[in-house]
Amino acid sequence: MINIKKAPNGAVLSDKWEVFANGEKLGVFVALCPDGKPYSIPPKRVTDEFDGCNYGGTTTVKTYFVQFEADENVKIEILCGDNISAFKIKPESYKKSLRKTENGIEFDISPDEYLTVEKNGDIFGTLQIFCNKPIEKDKNFENIIAFDEGYHTAENCGFIHLNEHGAPVIDNISDNTLIYIPNGAVVCASIVLTGAKNVKICGNGIISLVERCDGAENNFDGEFFYGGRRKCALSNIFVKSGCENIEISGVTLNCEFRGIVLRNTKNVKIDRVKIFTSCVNSDAINTVNIADVSIKNSYIRCGDDCFAVFTSQDDIDFLADADYKNPSKRSENIEISDCIMSTNCRAFMIGGHGTGDENPHNMIKNITAHNIEIIEVANNLFVDDKEHSRYWSGIFRILSQSGQYIENISFENINVNWTKGYNGKAFHIEIRSDETASYTEKKGYRIENVKFNNIAFLNCPENVQKSLISSAIDDDENAEIVNISFENVTYDNIR
């Protein structure tokens, strides 16, 4: 069975790719991704409305995706124009067999398989293909918010309203609620959960805020534009203030800013979610004070960190949780597995923002990431800025600041496709002092028991900066980095 829905009127679409699933033409959606260049100053028309003026904007380009439901293998056919010379499928470990046809190429895709098709070496304007297993509406909830197929906005949907900043939101969600977004539905709103228990957000539809990005009014025509976030932009899903037992499954998040933000929350399952973010600070999954969280089987393409975990709010006020009175100042028991990641910055950001407390110290502990494919790392591709790369970039970054105690972190069975031109490090483990701390942070505390096992870097240059492991604290015998192990870490199959 294959279930293909026509893209609803109002969705941002493109004809750059022509794609068929079992002979049926698919609607090609537009998402945004950074172009690999450093921050730049956006034009005045953008800074008048978009919040990019304080630290520069990000020039972004279009990327593309198709999606459908299937419970069996599906034949994908992509028609080729005269100017197409080469195709590549990522992750490369999938080893897909491409078959030439009279008009293009074809290959098979399996249910719950996500992949990227690259043509002519263009790593940005790629086609993402999401073959989703069907997700039925679960009726075992006291409250159900169910969308029909179609394009849903604050103007035509009673579930959506504009908040005090003019952003479209679905909020005031009660306990024991199902929010169901089926295949063929596009919901143009941020879903905000505050203190809710037992909430499930699911379905193979799209939660889209890309229409609020600069350039959407003309369907993002042209190769380059600024897609920066509006002032007070929310993430597509914002979970905060003591939420418990939250499940997010199946949905595709086409973002103006961040994808999923978790604040002061525990018992969260994220499964088979697809996320596109593009601008400065646009983490895919950004978390503070969380416990017992699993992130599985998901596809992440983002402008900043794919996954970030902190113990205090970062500097984005409207994505904080300042009214919550009992923050744990701990993030613990987190598993990330079987995901595909593409980033303009880092795949993993562990630590960085803390409260500075010493009795007890902020704690980040028991994080495992395994069976991950990192298919692009595209930071500063076109700038030879070694000072920037030494200080800022690291695909795996563990950073203790403001008194954070970080322990028991494990990365295992991870492939990294080192994008040609990437200017950064593989590993970055650091404790910073008051003088070297970034943002508004203070000196860190301790990092211990970090394991890297079976990490393979592919296509990396000879002069790759493999690691930075250092502590800037010399006046505290406990402020040290202890027991960091590397086992079977290879660079193009060379240890």
Side-chain angles (χ1 to χ4, degrees), residues 295-298 336-341 370-373:
I295 302 165
K296 297 182 177 182
N297 308 309
S298 293
I336 307 155
S337 67
D338 301 290
C339 292
I340 300 171
M341 296 179 173
H370 57 96
N371 301 332
I372 306 289
E373 296 281 350

Side-chain angles (χ1 to χ4, degrees), residues 396 411-416 427 451-458 485-495:
F396 301 91
F411 298 95
E412 188 169 13
N413 299 330
I414 297 176
N415 293 325
V416 181
F427 306 101
K451 179 176 73 173
F452 298 94
N453 185 25
N454 293 335
I455 312 295
F457 294 92
L458 310 173
S485 67
F486 297 86
E487 183 174 346
N488 194 29
V489 175
T490 61
Y491 299 82
D492 285 327
N493 298 317
I494 300 174
R495 288 180 183 271

Side-chain angles (χ1 to χ4, degrees), residues 4 42 65 73 111 113 125-126 132 154 191 292 347 389 397-398 470 474:
I4 296 174
F65 69 93
N73 285 0
E113 191 170 58
T126 54
N132 301 312
I191 298 176
D292 304 317
S389 65
R397 189 182 196 190
I398 302 173
S470 69
D474 56 12

Side-chain angles (χ1 to χ4, degrees), residues 139-290:
K139 298 180 181 179
N140 297 317
F141 282 83
E142 294 178 16
N143 309 292
I144 296 179
I145 297 174
F147 290 87
D148 297 323
E149 297 171 26
Y151 190 74
H152 303 274
T153 70
E155 288 72 34
N156 66 14
C157 177
F159 296 132
I160 304 171
H161 69 95
L162 300 181
N163 68 8
E164 64 271 27
H165 303 294
V169 296
I170 301 168
D171 57 7
N172 296 317
I173 306 300
S174 302
D175 294 350
N176 303 308
T177 294
L178 172 73
I179 301 175
Y180 182 67
I181 304 172
N183 186 34
V186 176
V187 175
C188 299
S190 173
I191 298 176
V192 181
L193 306 181
T194 304
K197 311 292 192 294
N198 305 319
V199 175
K200 184 176 183 178
I201 302 168
C202 71
N204 288 318
I206 299 170
I207 303 173
S208 180
L209 292 172
V210 74
E211 295 81 358
R212 287 169 49 82
C213 290
D214 179 57
E217 67 281 358
N218 62 356
N219 209 50
F220 302 121
D221 285 340
E223 289 301 314
F224 294 89
F225 55 88
Y226 287 84
R229 59 181 172 85
R230 291 180 189 269
K231 295 177 181 178
C232 300
L234 294 175
S235 58
N236 283 39
I237 298 177
F238 188 11
V239 183
K240 58 181 180 138
S241 301
C243 286
E244 296 181 26
N245 302 326
I246 307 299
E247 182 174 349
I248 305 168
S249 177
V251 290
T252 298
L253 308 183
N254 202 0
C255 308
E256 65 168 325
F257 187 29
R258 291 181 177 165
I260 298 173
V261 168
L262 306 178
R263 300 282 185 262
N264 302 304
T265 293
K266 62 183 179 181
N267 297 327
V268 179
K269 295 180 180 179
I270 298 171
D271 185 34
R272 293 176 289 166
V273 172
K274 288 76 67 178
I275 303 175
F276 293 92
T277 78
S278 63
C279 64
V280 176
N281 278 331
S282 60
D283 300 339
I285 301 174
N286 179 285
T287 70
V288 172
N289 299 335
I290 60 171

